[in-house]
């Protein structure tokens, strides 16, 4: 008998509606395992109980594993700017995972791997994080700015500065031969 216990295959009844190119990397039953649902990590994102659609790795602002509970904060778009989105923390979702297996590791690895660039910078009246994320199946990077709480998101000076910061970051990350 081996040292490692192999997790059983995800039951077909609990399998989310995966895209043709999507595959399951890890999964875990939620709560008591008696029909509360499952959390499924795929190569394209995270399927959470109660959500009809997958949350792409690039759409996860924060993921925290407590040892028993996975908490995920998705990004919510608050404004579309020229070449980037202004995002804010969406409502965090927490799920108790009694037998998490590889799921927390996959979530951490995939969210981290999606980040190509991140820098926290001051803006008038506050600060914000400029980030570039890799999106599976999409060429290039997707740019976002997450303003710190209390930073005036609709202030023209803030928007002008975020435009400048994103343009500066894009120029700094552009391949030299393009």
């Amino acid at each position: 008998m081996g040292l490692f216990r192999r997790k059983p295959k995800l039951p077909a009844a609990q399998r989310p509606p995966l895209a043709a190119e999507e595959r399951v990397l890890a999964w875990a039953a939620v709560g008591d395992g008696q029909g509360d649902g499952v959390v499924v990590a795929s190569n394209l994102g995270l399927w959470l109980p109660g959500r009809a659609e997958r949350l792409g790795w690039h759409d996860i602002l924060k993921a925290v594993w407590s040892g028993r509970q996975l908490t995920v904060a998705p990004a919510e778009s608050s404004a579309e700017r020229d070449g980037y989105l202004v995002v804010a923390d969406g409502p965090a979702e927490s799920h108790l995972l009694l037998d998490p297996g590889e799921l927390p590791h996959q979530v951490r690895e995939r969210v981290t791997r999606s980040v190509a660039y991140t820098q926290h910078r001051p803006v008038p009246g506050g600060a914000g994080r400029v980030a570039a994320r890799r999106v599976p199946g999409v060429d290039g990077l997707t740019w976002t700015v997450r303003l710190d709480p209390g930073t005036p998101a609709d202030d023209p000076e803030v928007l002008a500065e975020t435009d400048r910061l994103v343009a500066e970051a894009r120029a700094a990350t552009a391949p030299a031969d393009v």
Side-chain angles (χ1 to χ4, degrees), residues 144-161:
T144 60
V145 172
R146 180 193 167 278
L147 297 172
D148 290 356
T151 303
D154 55 355
D155 183 304
E157 286 183 45
V158 171
L159 296 175
E161 182 63 5

Side-chain angles (χ1 to χ4, degrees), residues 8 16 20 27 32 35 63 80 82 88-89 97-98 112 124 127 130 136 147 159 162 164 166 175:
W27 66 276
D32 61 10
E80 189 170 340
D82 186 22
D89 292 6
L97 308 178
L98 300 179
T112 300
V130 176
L147 297 172
L159 296 175
T162 58
R164 188 189 72 72
V166 171

